[in-house]
Amino acid sequence: MVRLATASLVGTAIEFFDFFVYGTAAALVLGPLFFPTFSPLAGTLAAFGTFAVGFVARPLGSVLFGHVGDRYGRRPVLFASLLLTGCATVAVGCVPTYETIGIAAPLLLLTLRFLQGLGLGGEWGGAVLLTAEHAPANRRALWASFPQIGPAVGFLLANGVMLALTAGLSDAEFRSWGWRVPFWAAGVLAAAGLLLRSSLAESPQFEELSASGRRASAPLAEIVRDHWRLVLLTAGALAVGYAVFYTVSTWALAYGTERLGVSSTVMLTCVMAAVAVKGAVTPFVALLADRWGRRPLCLAGCAASALWMFPMVALLHTGEPILMFLGFLGSLLAFITMFAVIAAYLPELYEPRVRCTGAAVGYNLAGVLGGALTPIVATTLSDGGSGPPWGVAAYLTVVALISLGCFALLPETLPDPYEAAEAAPA
């Protein structure tokens, strides 16, 4: 389990490094480089538009790779998704700017961002399912939470590289070539991830399905026919997590640098510190889920998100590093109270024959609802006025309340303690 969880964590971290480095670049430099004829606000919105395309592609990736995972195994998904995302990310770093090739530049950017999202849409389902289906029932949430640490590690890697570059290069150097370095580094990381995953064994539950001949021939059709309500509920429930995380990690960067005049180095440091704490507490929250259940923690995380959005916006608007960090930290602790749990919760909600497709589609559809639109909506709501952007706080609070209602309609899936004890290895 240690080797499997480590390989899942590392692979997920690499995939999310690829995904997050684009979001940071969109907040800091892509607008003027690829949409120079737009106003500063319109350029930022356009850059966030290409950012959103990655989220739109993720459900399509979950359908494509979910079919592979349910028909041919969880293991092939891990290789194909990582290879696709890594290649697309390296290519982003090679795209000439608008000044060089004109309108072809943003079109290429849009296409590669779509391919990034397609690969990431398959990654989460493959990594989480392979770990969760190997884990003993009484510690499933703990082991399945390791891939959920991957996004924090990927974010810290992506923004750590960006932080070093913005601090060590002049603004002209960073805009000329420095922003491309993290995209090129993705190729090395992807190769290392593929090597690490080469020795992983297939999930025992999938092996059992194959041996018994009960694999789904058309998993998406079964999901649409028999589990559509569950997919919509899980997507709605998880939307707040995406909304909160990308408000902190993407919109707040643009707002702090462009509206508050805070340096990008300070903003990145504040966000990175909060993300580091979030990553560190993930397994401890998962242990609580193995003890008290999945649903109670998800409900608590939603409620905390609804209560914290107005304080978070107020703390951000001060422009003071310590206060901004506290605002981000409160938001991400509420976020991880839900997202440390769902790596066990979602697979348990779906039957094994369609689990890879169902869990991945629900998870990535939530990304469209909560992650794709949030930076755009928040940027629009925060335009104009000198006071705190209360419209952003109100928007996030409404999303949190909707997600709270969806979680309330989902069942508990905590394994029976006696059955879990019997199933645990001696």
Side-chain angles (χ1 to χ4, degrees), residues 6-21:
T6 301
S8 295
L9 188 160
V10 170
T12 307
I14 292 168
E15 293 247 23
F16 276 91
F17 169 88
D18 297 353
F19 203 71
F20 287 143
V21 78

Side-chain angles (χ1 to χ4, degrees), residues 170-191:
S170 67
D171 185 63
E173 290 172 329
F174 181 73
R175 289 175 179 271
S176 174
W177 58 268
W179 68 272
R180 299 180 183 274
V181 173
F183 293 93
W184 295 335
V188 179
L189 293 175

Side-chain angles (χ1 to χ4, degrees), residues 73-120:
R74 317 326 190 190
R75 190 170 174 269
V77 173
L78 298 183
F79 290 91
S81 61
L82 183 56
L83 184 63
L84 175 60
T85 307
C87 290
T89 304
V90 172
V92 169
C94 300
V95 176
T97 62
Y98 186 94
E99 185 180 2
T100 304
I101 60 172
I103 192 64
L107 291 177
L108 281 172
L109 202 64
L110 198 69
T111 302
L112 293 170
R113 180 60 176 173
F114 181 86
L115 293 175
Q116 264 194 330
L118 204 66
L120 193 62

Side-chain angles (χ1 to χ4, degrees), residues 299-367:
L299 292 171
C302 275
S305 297
L307 294 172
W308 188 248
M309 292 303 97
F310 278 90
M312 187 273 288
V313 165
L315 292 168
L316 168 64
H317 190 70
T318 66
E320 294 293 328
I322 296 297
L323 296 180
M324 290 192 297
F325 163 73
L326 292 175
F328 298 154
L329 180 61
S331 301
L332 294 183
L333 289 178
F335 159 84
I336 205 58
T337 304
M338 297 173 280
F339 271 56
V341 175
I342 59 166
Y345 194 19
L346 259 65
E348 290 170 346
L349 286 168
Y350 292 89
E351 58 181 304
R353 60 186 277 116
V354 294
R355 181 174 287 160
C356 196
T357 301
V361 169
Y363 182 84
N364 288 296
L365 188 58

Side-chain angles (χ1 to χ4, degrees), residues 147-160:
Q148 294 298 84
I149 302 172
V153 176
F155 182 87
L156 292 173
L157 283 173
N159 288 278

